[in-house]
Every structure is written in C-alpha cells, then in structure tokens.
Amino acid sequence: MIGQDYIGDRVREDIYPQGDEANRKIRRRRRAGKAWRWLFIVATVSAIVILSVLLIKILNDTVGLVAQESVLPERELLLAFDESQVLAAPNILLESEDDPAIASAIADEPNSLGFIPWSAYLTQQDRLNLVSIEGQLPGAEAAGTGDYPLDRPLYIYASTSELQKKPHVAAFLAYYLQHLDEVVPDAGYFMVDAEQLAEQSAQIAEGLGLEELPAINPADFEGVINITGSSTVFPITQAMADRFIADGFRGTINVDPTGTTAGFQKFCIDNDRSIDIVNASREVLPTEFSACQANNRRLSEAVVAQDALSVVVNKVNTFVTDVSREQLEALFTTAEQWSEVDGNWPGETISRFIPSADSGTMDFFVEELFQRESLEDLEYDDLVSIYTANISKGRCRAVEREQRFYDDVLICEDPEKFAEVCASDSPPTGCTLPPREEPGLIQLIEADVIKPKVLASWNGIESVLRRDEILAEAAQKYPNAEVFFKSWLSWQFITSPQSSYPEIAGIRTAILGTLWVVGIAILISFPLGVAAAVYLEEYADKRSRFNQIIQTNINNLAGVPSIIYGLLGLAVFVRALEPITSGYIFGAVESGATANGRTILSAGLTLGLLGLPVIIISAQEAIRAVPPSLRQASFGLGATKWETVRHHVLPNAIAGILTGVILSTSRIIGETAPLVVVGASTFITTDPTGPFSKFTTLPSQIYQWTARPQDTFRDIAAATIVVLITMLLLLNATAIYFRNRWSKRLG
Amino acid sequence: MTNSTTQHTNGNTDYAIEAKDLHIYYGNFRAVKDVDLQFRPRQITALIGPSGCGKSTVLRAFNRMNDLIPVARAEGEILFHGKNIYDEDVDPVEVRRRVGMVFQKPNPFPKSIYENVAWGARINGFKGNKAEMDALVEESLRDAAVWDEVKDKLDQSGLSLSGGQQQRLCIARTIAIRPEIILMDEPASALDPISTLRIEELIQELKKNYTILIVTHNMQQAARDSEFTAFFNMDEDRAGYLVEFDKTNELFTNPKNELTEQYITGRFG
C-alpha cells in the first residue's frame, strides 16, 4: 500500500476513499470489469462453437458410408460390351464350352489362334505353341504371383443354408477341399497356397457351424449331387467326384460343364433348386450374388486351384511368340490377317477358336484384355451402342428427339426419318441443339441403364466411429448393395446437371444459374449504386426536402424483407416487362404467346434492386469518409466538381465502396425467397445460355432438395451448401484482393 | 457605409485584388460585415484577429472557396483586375486557378509527390509535353524549397513526407499552377518551430513573385513577415469586421484604434 500524505492531521484529498477502503473499491471496480470480460469471452466462444457445429453438421452430411445397388453395374455393362467386341471378331471358327475341343481344333489348323485354360493346353502341348504376353509365359512358377497377366484363381460356390440341409453335399465339399492336392496337379492346374486353403476351410466350417471340417468317409453318405458351371473347373470337380464315388459314396454325382455365367444363371437367377454346387472360373458378379441372396441362397466361396489362361497358336506358327497388350487386343478383335498386327508376320487370315460367351474364361479374358475401369474408357460410338442396346425403343426415340446422338442421322428410328423429323414444321429440340457429347451420354447411361440407387447413407462421423457396426448392419439389411465411403461433393457432382435421382444429380445448372444471376445483379447494382451515392453525397442539396425523403427511403429499403423485392420483381420484371425480360423484343423467343418473363434477367434485376440500398449506403459512407481537406485542396487548385470526384473522391472511397459490394454480393448470392417468387425453375437440366434462359440457383436448389423426404437428398443439399459457401468465399476473396490492390496503389 | 479605420494608401489601379463593401453570410447569420481591403502586388499582408472574427472567412472569399459551403453567400465586390469575381459571368474555377490557396493543415493528395504537383497543372490544361511537365514539377518544388529533400523519391506518396515537407509540397503544388495571388490560412500553425521557420523563409522568397495574403494567430510572425497587417474583430452581433488596416510597422508601433492596441499587447484575444 502506498503511504498517505497529510495536511496537518488530515489526509489530503479526503473527499476520495483512502487506504484500504480505496483498494477495496478498486478491486470491486476491477471485478465488475472482469465479469464483463468473461461475458465477452463466453459470447465469442459460443458464437464460434455454434458456427463450427453448423459447419461440421454440413460437412458431416456431405461425406459418409452409403449402401448402393445398381440395376446393371457398370462392370457388367463393360464386360458385356467387351465380350461382344471379341465375339464380333472376323473368322471365328469355333466357339465352345469344351476347352480340350478348342485345344485340338487349334492344333489342327495352321493359322489358328485361341485362348484356353492351362489344363486344356496340357492335353495338346506337343502340337501347340504358347504365346508370351509382354515377355511373361504362364507356368507353375508364375502361378499365383500375378506376374503373368492372365493368371487366375478357379472357384466353387455353394449355398451355406442348403449345405446344412444336405449333409452329403457338405461332405463332398469338405472332401473336395481336403483332397485337392491329389487331384489338381493331375487335372493340369496349379495348387492353391496352403495358407489360403486352410483359411477357406475354416470359413466353410464356420458356415456349417463347425470348428473345423471333419475327416469324411464317403461311405457314410448317400444322395444325388448336381454340379454345373465352368468347363475349366470341370476336370477337377469330375476327378474329385470320381474319387468320392470310388471311396464309397452311395449316390450319383452329375457334373455338367455349361460355363460359369450359365451356371450362375441357373443357380442364382433361375433359382434351380436341383443344383448344389457351381464351378466358376471367375468371381461371382454383384448382380448374380444379389440374385442368389434374393432367393435365399447365401453363397460361400472357395478357391480350388490356380489356372493360367494360355494364349496359344499352332505348332507350325513360329512367328507369334510374344505380344504386347495392344497386339493381343488387335489379334482377338479387329485383325483379319497376321500382318495387320505386325508387319513382319505373314498376310494369312487368322482362324480364331475361343470359349463361348457363357464361360467364365471369356469373362476373365476380356476383363484382363481391355482392363477398362469405367465407361469413360470407351469411345463415344461404343457408348451410344451400349446405351441404345440397353433401353427400350420408345425411350431411345424420346431421348434422341431431345438431343441427337449424331449430327446427320437418327439411330433410334428409321434412318430415312432424319429429314422427315428435323425438316417438319415444328422440329423437336433435338434438331436444333448440337449432338450429345461423351460426359452427357455417360450420365444418360448411368441414369437409364446402370441406375445406381443409394438404399441408405450414413453421416461422416458415424461412418468413421461405427464403421464395423454399419458394415454389419448394411450386410444384413442390404445384402445386395455395395457399401462404400462416398463424398457427395465430388467433381462429378459439380459438373453434372440436375437429376431426379440423387445418386447422379449434380449442380452445374445451379452454379451457372447463380453466376449468371449474381453477375447481372452486380452489373446493375454496382454502377447504379455508386452513381446514386455520388449524386447524394457530392451533388445533391442536403437541405432539400426531396433529397432528404430519398435518403430516408434508401435507408429503409435496405431493411425491407427480401420477399417484398420478389413480389416487386414478379409484378414489374416478370409480368409488366415480360416482352423485355423474356427476350421477345430481342427476338430470343419466337412468339409473344410463349414469352415467359421467368428468366435470369428478371431474377438478376430483382436481386440487383435488392442489393442496391446496401451498395448506396456503404458507398455514401465511403465517400463521406474522404477527408474534406482533400476536396478543398482539389478545388483550391482550380479543379471542377467532376475532376475532384473522379480523381480524389472515388479513388479514395473505392475500398469502402467495394466493401459494400462484397456485403451486397454475399446477401444476393444466398437469397432464396425472392427467386422463389420470381420463378426459379424447380427442375431444370439444361444449362442457362444467356439472360433469357430459365434458371435455378444454388440456394433454390438447396431449398428444394431439403424439402424432399429422402435422406440422400439431404446429403446432396449439404454438398451444395459447401459449394455455395466456397463460391461465396471465392467471390469475396477476389473482391478483397482488388480492394487491397487498389487501396495500396492509392496509399 | 463608414470605413473610418481603413487606410487608403494608394490608387485603385495599383492593387492586385481588393474587397469592397464585402459582407459574408452563413444562411441568415452575417459572419463578416463591411470589409474594404486593398492588397498591393508582391506584398505580404497579414490578417490577424481573435478566434471567430472572420479573418479566414474573408481570406476564403478571395478565391470563392466559401462557395463550397452550401449556405454561404457573399455580398459586395471583390475586384480582381477590375472585375468582380462574384459576377455571374465569372467561373470560380478560373478564379481559383489564378488565386491559389494553402491550407492550415498540410493536405497533399494521396498520390505520388510528382503527381501532387503535376495534377493541378494537368487539369488546368498545361500545354507542355512530358519533359516540360518534369521541368515544371522540378521548378515548383525548387521554388517551394523542398526539391532537395524529395528529388530522389518523386514516385513516393506525398503522405510519406514530414509535416513541414508536406506543407512545402502543398505550396509547390499551388505555385505550379502559376497563380497571381496566394492565400495562406495559418500555413504554419500545425508545424513545429523549425518547420515554421522554413515556411516563413519560403514566404519571404515567394513574395518576389506573388501577392500573399496570410491569416495568422502568431503576432510575431505577422510583425516579422508582412508589409501590411489587417486587424479584424468580432462585433456584439458576432459579425466580424475590419478594425484597422495599415503598414505592419505602423499598426504594431502606433495603432490608431484602441482595440488594436489592446489586441497586439495581448490584453484580449
């Protein structure tokens, strides 16, 4: 404590508290200040927390696990297309399920070419030559390592639930897995890795409710076992069946080599209950799997051997020894003669011998040959043929009349119809628009053929924290669906047009609409607002009653609810000025009767008016903030009013004016209500092309999607919000950049 | 009309500018009344008086700066080359080109030093080319005694200079448009004593070429710098009026009016 000063025996200045009392009072005053300080901190923190929660909530909806099912998955579409390519190759002499038959046919024909399983190659190995692919030959060393591109596992499939009901089938399966080593090498295949085999056995045992597969005595069982599917796996299964019977099985085993695809067709899709086991030379496809599931057949899978698909030629053919992937593709698709693939090879016609389309061998071969990941790997013509092959004639015609696939021909109807349709008095829009392009076509295929459907979606945090639970739940509830982590916000989402399917919907239309509308609004409100502000601040007589009324009105207009502007826009721009806003008087619309003022121009003008008061007021403030001394200096040098405004007032006010423009843009870009009134389209898939186009904007889109009952629409609405916020930040950053640049130049 | 205190020292034709029966109003309020003043060419006249006596208002009347205040209005005449500058056919822009002004607080433009000087010349239709403009800028800055300090940074902002340099830049800017008369409204009041001294020296230099009217609160400054001094005071109706106008020596050593004596001896104001 500081000592006291006395005058006589009286403390100096005793009209104020002294000593301890003074300190107490100071502490109390400080406490009051501290309380306020805490209040401010709490307010700030809660504001930040609330905003963060909002942002997290939005981002949380934007990503997450989804369970998605497609009517026709992309992979199968590609597979079917690729197979058709190989099957359409010229001079196919044999197309068979019987692999040894193909092998011997190749051995008989000098200019032959084909691909067969390793086992079939072994049957004729003295009369065939193996062809290496990019330097890799098939064989025991390469098996299972992935070095040889056509190396593949072979499978058998059975239904777990039926195995439980049919002990003799379960016994055969167990016996099968236990005796592979005695059969596989003899059948001409390579053994599966021991570790993998043990794991599979354990899984099958678990499916049967056992600790491990017991030792089987075939004599204990009787019954009929029907096996169908791959001809490649057939030799193993047949040999195993023979052994099983030789060991005393009291029944019959029928093994039927129909091809993998045909086998799954019978087992899963046709639900043929007489079939017990399917041999497969490829993995089960999702559609087949889900078909089985739908018929209450839950598949268990076992890899029984490793095969190496061998590309072979006749023994006399000594020139084809090694091929690249491109050469392989040409050999099995378009090339008619050897010389077309390699100039050094003879000009003889190639004779092809290939497995049939139903075989898993074929599926596997084309997948490895073309290695297509997605539809984007295909040419436009191929996409057109895929699309038209998979939709109805009627749908095809409708789509084509909306927009053509090709410039000069209609492919969904009689070719001669082109002139007739497009030359008619009222040609469909398809005749006026340019032909479709690849991205649009892929979207059509997605929407009409693949038809992905999200059955369920989970939010981001859930998806990370409860991943296993969700996966289990999805497997239970949506067994056919593919479950994967999806970001609803993706490049495709941004670049795709709107769609009624949330899975393929995008916001390109809305982004372009927003840019157009906001662009027009700024174009209107910026010059108008600044001009009005300059007039009101620099020229208008502030004492005049009239100008005071105008000023008051502008201040009040800034607070008018935006829906009122919407009503104004509807009455003035959409209705009264319809000939202008619809573009009729500019010739943008054919007849006055079809003119419609619900265009980008109307919306832009409406939002321009909405933003005007904010721009005027902030520009006025910025102009007022320019020091009067600057004006005096300018006038003192003999400058006119305009020179003063142009050279001193505006350059010094521009930073403040741009701040107003930023505020105004931020408000405009997020407006929904006036656009609903002015008439933003609820569903529009064509991009706006000019001020007289129909339109939608990001906020309108968000509004419409959030109003939908499905969860998936909520997710894409969240993704759209992220895009909107990002766009807003980008626009603001640009404006701030210019503001700083300009004010720096002036400073 | 009575002007008993005004001294007519010479014939009208010798005056660079003169005020005749000048009254200035702000709305209904008469701020200045009955001013008759004559200024000789290439002389410095100091306008002194207590705060609120209207000396700045009078000064600003000489280049119609009061026009910028919407409610201000002048009655009477200000004759410049025999022409009343308040006549309808006179454009204030021309008046301000020929009657320059330096303000109380240095107010350079937030532009480069070069541009500060060149801008006024350019808007007033300077006829020379780029090289001649460069020469004009240099000459003006030299005349304003600031060239040596700024010659290496002509592209820097005028605001980067010190207060005294800024004020000299403002003077350079003013003389670049070649006025006949320079009005100075307490040009050194916002500056430190050393800067003030330099401005005073500069004013003495400028006197060779320009007629200078300077408002000042600083009696020593007025006594030191000016040839003539006009003393203003405020009447009971708060209107400013001219009390006494004479040679500075005369006015300070032998004031005719009692008020003047009281003011210069520091007994009021």
Side-chain angles (χ1 to χ4, degrees):
Chain A
M1 200 169 78
I2 306 166
Q4 304 287 311
D5 185 21
Y6 291 88
I7 299 173
D9 54 358
R10 259 185 60 196
V11 174
R12 184 203 281 269
E13 302 297 354
D14 63 358
I15 55 172
Y16 297 109
Q18 300 286 338
D20 287 338
E21 192 195 357
N23 286 336
R24 253 195 329 275
K25 292 222 156 135
I26 291 170
R27 274 199 295 277
R28 195 177 308 149
R29 278 155 61 201
R30 281 203 185 285
R31 267 202 301 280
K34 254 183 204 146
W36 280 106
R37 178 168 153 250
W38 275 111
L39 207 69
F40 296 144
I41 291 173
V42 167
T44 310
V45 168
S46 35
I48 291 171
V49 166
I50 291 167
L51 289 176
S52 315
V53 165
L54 189 73
L55 203 63
I56 289 167
K57 154 90 182 119
I58 291 168
L59 291 175
N60 195 19
D61 279 346
T62 309
V63 295
L65 286 169
V66 291
Q68 178 173 298
E69 198 177 69
S70 299
V71 171
L72 184 54
E74 192 174 16
R75 178 168 161 227
E76 287 171 47
L77 208 56
L78 286 170
L79 199 61
F81 174 76
D82 289 342
E83 276 187 18
S84 71
Q85 297 283 98
V86 172
L87 291 171
N91 204 26
I92 295 175
L93 295 188
L94 179 64
E95 205 182 288
S96 167
E97 265 318 308
D98 190 348
D99 296 327
I102 298 176
S104 68
I106 297 171
D108 290 342
E109 166 73 38
N111 277 306
S112 58
L113 170 72
F115 60 91
I116 47 177
W118 183 252
S119 61
Y121 163 70
L122 290 180
T123 61
Q124 300 283 343
Q125 60 176 320
D126 298 338
R127 303 168 63 211
L128 297 174
N129 278 341
L130 273 178
V131 178
S132 63
I133 300 169
E134 295 186 337
Q136 294 288 339
L137 268 177
E141 301 85 58
T145 61
D147 286 344
Y148 179 65
L150 297 180
D151 213 16
R152 62 166 174 175
L154 299 177
Y155 305 84
I156 54 173
Y157 285 91
S159 157
T160 313
S161 49
E162 278 159 80
L163 287 181
Q164 286 166 345
K165 286 180 209 143
K166 294 182 176 174
H168 62 288
V169 179
F172 176 65
L173 199 64
Y175 184 85
Y176 200 136
L177 294 177
Q178 285 158 358
H179 294 86
L180 280 175
D181 52 340
E182 293 156 42
V183 169
V184 169
D186 294 342
Y189 293 106
F190 312 113
M191 269 304 289
V192 180
D193 182 48
E195 202 173 303
Q196 192 187 354
L197 196 59
E199 199 176 302
Q200 291 182 153
S201 301
Q203 264 174 16
I204 300 240
E206 195 188 319
L208 292 169
L210 302 168
E211 293 261 319
E212 57 178 9
L213 291 180
I216 302 292
N217 178 7
D220 296 346
F221 299 95
E222 58 180 332
V224 181
I225 304 174
N226 288 316
I227 303 173
T228 189
S230 169
S231 55
T232 312
V233 189
F234 172 78
I236 311 174
T237 307
Q238 185 62 59
M240 200 62 82
D242 292 346
R243 254 195 84 104
F244 198 54
I245 289 166
D247 274 358
F249 177 58
R250 290 171 289 131
T252 49
I253 304 177
N254 305 313
V255 190
D256 182 19
T258 55
T260 305
T261 307
F264 280 124
Q265 171 78 27
K266 269 191 204 162
F267 191 73
C268 292
I269 296 158
D270 302 344
N271 194 19
D272 185 340
R273 288 280 162 178
S274 66
I275 311 277
D276 298 308
I277 291 173
V278 180
N279 293 328
S281 54
R282 59 161 169 77
E283 251 187 311
V284 65
L285 295 173
T287 40
E288 293 163 347
F289 185 86
S290 52
C292 256
Q293 207 80 47
N295 291 324
N296 257 326
R297 296 185 123 167
R298 178 159 297 179
L299 289 177
S300 39
E301 171 193 279
V303 175
V304 293
Q306 285 285 345
D307 180 23
L309 206 55
S310 320
V311 176
V312 291
V313 292
N314 192 278
K315 197 78 190 170
V316 301
N317 182 336
T318 50
F319 47 92
V320 185
T321 51
D322 181 59
V323 289
S324 67
R325 275 182 187 277
E326 290 74 35
Q327 286 177 322
L328 196 63
E329 203 178 308
L331 280 174
F332 280 100
T333 52
T334 52
E336 287 201 32
Q337 296 177 339
W338 300 108
S339 54
E340 290 170 36
V341 180
D342 188 321
N344 298 324
W345 296 349
E348 310 270 341
T349 306
I350 307 169
S351 307
R352 294 181 174 86
F353 301 86
I354 56 175
S356 71
D358 271 348
S359 69
T361 308
M362 180 61 134
D363 294 347
F364 178 80
F365 182 72
V366 295
E367 266 195 345
E368 290 303 316
L369 181 62
F370 295 100
Q371 293 202 312
R372 291 194 223 269
E373 297 281 320
S374 70
L375 289 171
E376 273 137 50
D377 297 338
L378 288 173
E379 298 292 316
Y380 182 78
D381 291 352
D382 298 337
L383 291 171
V384 172
S385 64
I386 286 183
Y387 182 64
T388 51
N390 282 290
I391 54 167
S392 72
K393 241 357 199 189
R395 171 75 184 148
C396 186
R397 270 200 297 274
V399 164
E400 188 161 45
R401 280 179 191 224
E402 233 168 63
Q403 199 180 353
R404 289 163 296 165
F405 293 108
Y406 294 106
D407 227 352
D408 46 4
V409 66
L410 293 178
I411 53 162
C412 296
E413 31 204 324
D414 198 346
E416 274 106 70
K417 264 226 156 136
F418 184 74
E420 191 188 314
V421 171
C422 284
S424 65
D425 290 338
S426 55
T429 49
C431 294
T432 54
L433 293 171
R436 290 178 189 276
E437 282 169 19
E438 188 159 335
L441 187 54
I442 288 175
Q443 271 157 7
L444 264 186
I445 294 175
E446 289 224 344
D448 287 351
V449 181
I450 297 176
K451 293 188 186 162
K453 180 140 185 53
V454 171
L455 301 173
S457 65
W458 292 266
N459 66 42
I461 294 172
E462 258 185 347
S463 300
V464 172
L465 299 182
R466 297 180 41 232
R467 190 183 169 81
D468 296 336
E469 263 173 81
I470 290 172
L471 289 181
E473 182 194 336
Q476 175 84 38
K477 270 197 187 151
Y478 316 104
N480 321 341
E482 192 187 350
V483 182
F484 58 96
F485 198 86
K486 174 171 177 141
S487 166
W488 292 94
L489 178 59
S490 64
W491 186 243
Q492 197 209 327
F493 178 70
I494 290 170
T495 54
S496 301
Q498 200 186 348
S499 164
S500 39
Y501 304 101
E503 295 81 9
I504 55 165
I507 50 170
R508 188 181 66 201
T509 324
I511 290 177
L512 290 173
T514 292
L515 289 177
W516 268 104
V517 169
V518 172
I520 288 180
I522 296 296
L523 227 54
I524 297 291
S525 58
F526 179 61
L528 224 56
V530 174
V534 168
Y535 172 76
L536 289 171
E537 279 305 308
E538 295 289 330
Y539 293 91
D541 181 357
K542 293 216 179 75
R543 290 165 305 164
S544 127
R545 190 104 202 115
F546 179 69
N547 286 325
Q548 282 171 358
I549 290 171
I550 288 184
Q551 185 69 61
T552 312
N553 273 317
I554 288 171
N555 295 346
N556 287 334
L557 279 176
V560 168
S562 57
I563 189 107
I564 309 292
Y565 284 94
L567 293 174
L568 175 81
L570 181 69
V572 177
F573 300 129
V574 177
R575 298 265 161 76
L577 298 179
E578 185 176 289
I580 296 168
T581 53
S582 68
Y584 173 55
I585 63 166
F586 305 105
V589 183
E590 294 292 315
S591 77
T594 59
N596 185 339
R598 295 171 178 274
T599 56
I600 281 178
L601 186 60
S602 296
L605 289 171
T606 308
L607 292 189
L609 288 191
L610 176 77
L612 200 52
V614 175
I615 291 186
I616 295 179
I617 291 169
S618 54
Q620 270 187 292
E621 258 155 37
I623 288 170
R624 220 174 292 149
V626 175
S629 68
L630 220 54
R631 290 189 185 80
Q632 291 190 357
S634 172
F635 285 121
L637 284 174
T640 61
K641 186 110 196 172
W642 168 239
E643 283 161 350
T644 305
V645 170
R646 162 76 185 73
H647 293 282
H648 300 295
V649 176
L650 284 183
N652 284 291
I654 192 74
I657 291 174
L658 283 180
T659 307
V661 173
I662 293 169
L663 282 175
S664 170
T665 313
S666 307
R667 181 168 176 195
I668 286 173
I669 205 172
E671 275 301 344
T672 319
L675 295 182
V676 171
V677 181
V678 171
S681 305
T682 47
F683 187 83
I684 182 170
T685 55
T686 47
D687 293 341
T689 52
F692 307 121
S693 300
K694 292 174 161 306
F695 69 100
T696 189
T697 62
L698 288 169
S700 317
Q701 196 67 79
I702 293 165
Y703 168 69
Q704 280 151 19
W705 278 341
T706 45
R708 304 283 286 264
Q710 298 95 322
D711 277 359
T712 38
F713 279 106
R714 194 191 56 203
D715 294 335
I716 57 176
T720 314
I721 291 171
V722 175
V723 172
L724 179 63
I725 292 175
T726 312
M727 226 163 106
L728 193 66
L729 291 178
L730 280 179
L731 281 180
N732 284 358
T734 317
I736 289 169
Y737 170 76
F738 279 116
R739 188 180 72 185
N740 291 348
R741 225 178 72 144
W742 287 340
S743 47
K744 203 171 283 165
R745 210 172 55 197
L746 294 161
Chain B
M1 190 178 73
T2 54
N3 283 317
S4 56
T5 55
T6 311
Q7 302 283 310
H8 289 270
T9 52
N10 214 325
N12 277 353
T13 47
D14 290 334
Y15 302 135
I17 195 161
E18 65 181 303
K20 267 190 172 169
D21 194 18
L22 182 69
H23 301 254
I24 300 169
Y25 298 84
Y26 291 125
N28 295 324
F29 169 65
R30 183 158 68 168
V32 173
K33 64 180 180 187
D34 281 345
V35 175
D36 279 75
L37 266 174
Q38 301 78 30
F39 302 95
R40 289 154 170 272
R42 285 177 274 282
Q43 298 283 343
I44 300 172
T45 308
L47 277 56
I48 60 169
S51 295
C53 70
K55 55 194 185 301
S56 283
T57 304
V58 169
L59 187 78
R60 298 162 79 91
F62 287 104
N63 70 343
R64 293 188 60 174
M65 282 302 271
N66 286 331
D67 291 15
L68 301 180
I69 303 162
V71 295
R73 141 180 83 84
E75 279 176 12
E77 290 184 320
I78 287 180
L79 294 177
F80 182 48
H81 292 274
K83 177 79 180 169
N84 180 10
I85 63 168
Y86 283 93
D87 276 356
E88 296 229 332
D89 59 345
V90 174
D91 192 318
V93 167
E94 192 200 349
V95 173
R96 290 177 198 141
R97 212 279 292 147
R98 300 179 61 175
V99 182
M101 184 153 191
V102 176
F103 298 86
Q104 181 171 3
K105 264 178 73 183
N107 57 351
F109 299 125
K111 295 173 184 282
S112 70
I113 291 168
Y114 181 96
E115 209 39 43
N116 257 286
V117 180
W119 189 78
R122 199 175 298 133
I123 55 158
N124 282 300
F126 178 64
K127 289 184 195 148
N129 57 23
K130 173 82 175 74
E132 284 164 314
M133 178 66 92
D134 290 349
L136 175 73
V137 170
E138 178 175 345
E139 189 191 335
S140 306
L141 288 168
R142 276 188 194 285
D143 288 352
V146 72
W147 171 253
D148 291 336
E149 291 148 82
V150 302
K151 64 183 175 198
D152 297 325
K153 46 180 183 178
L154 289 177
D155 56 343
Q156 284 183 24
S157 171
L159 296 174
S160 66
L161 300 174
S162 74
Q165 290 171 332
Q166 287 189 10
Q167 192 63 300
R168 277 177 280 143
L169 175 62
C170 291
I171 292 170
R173 172 176 80 184
T174 304
I175 58 186
I177 60 169
R178 297 285 182 270
E180 294 161 42
I181 295 164
I182 300 176
L183 309 176
M184 294 187 172
D185 192 353
E186 301 185 50
S189 68
L191 305 178
D192 63 90
I194 292 172
S195 300
T196 303
L197 206 63
R198 298 203 58 176
I199 296 284
E200 282 182 28
E201 286 165 11
L202 172 58
I203 291 169
Q204 290 304 319
E205 279 298 309
L206 291 174
K207 188 181 81 170
K208 294 169 186 163
N209 290 310
Y210 303 95
T211 306
I212 295 169
L213 276 63
I214 180 165
V215 166
T216 179
H217 264 124
N218 185 328
M219 228 77 69
Q220 285 78 24
Q221 198 183 3
R224 267 200 311 267
D225 297 346
S226 63
E227 276 82 26
F228 291 88
T229 301
F231 171 60
F232 288 83
N233 193 20
M234 196 163 45
D235 221 345
E236 283 106 25
D237 59 357
R238 298 171 47 81
Y241 67 101
L242 180 63
V243 180
E244 188 169 348
F245 176 48
D246 209 333
K247 282 191 172 139
T248 301
N249 275 343
E250 240 352 79
L251 188 128
F252 275 89
T253 53
N254 188 17
K256 308 264 181 313
N257 191 298
E258 200 181 326
L259 276 172
T260 314
E261 192 190 346
Q262 286 178 359
Y263 182 74
I264 60 177
T265 51
R267 267 177 279 169
F268 87 101

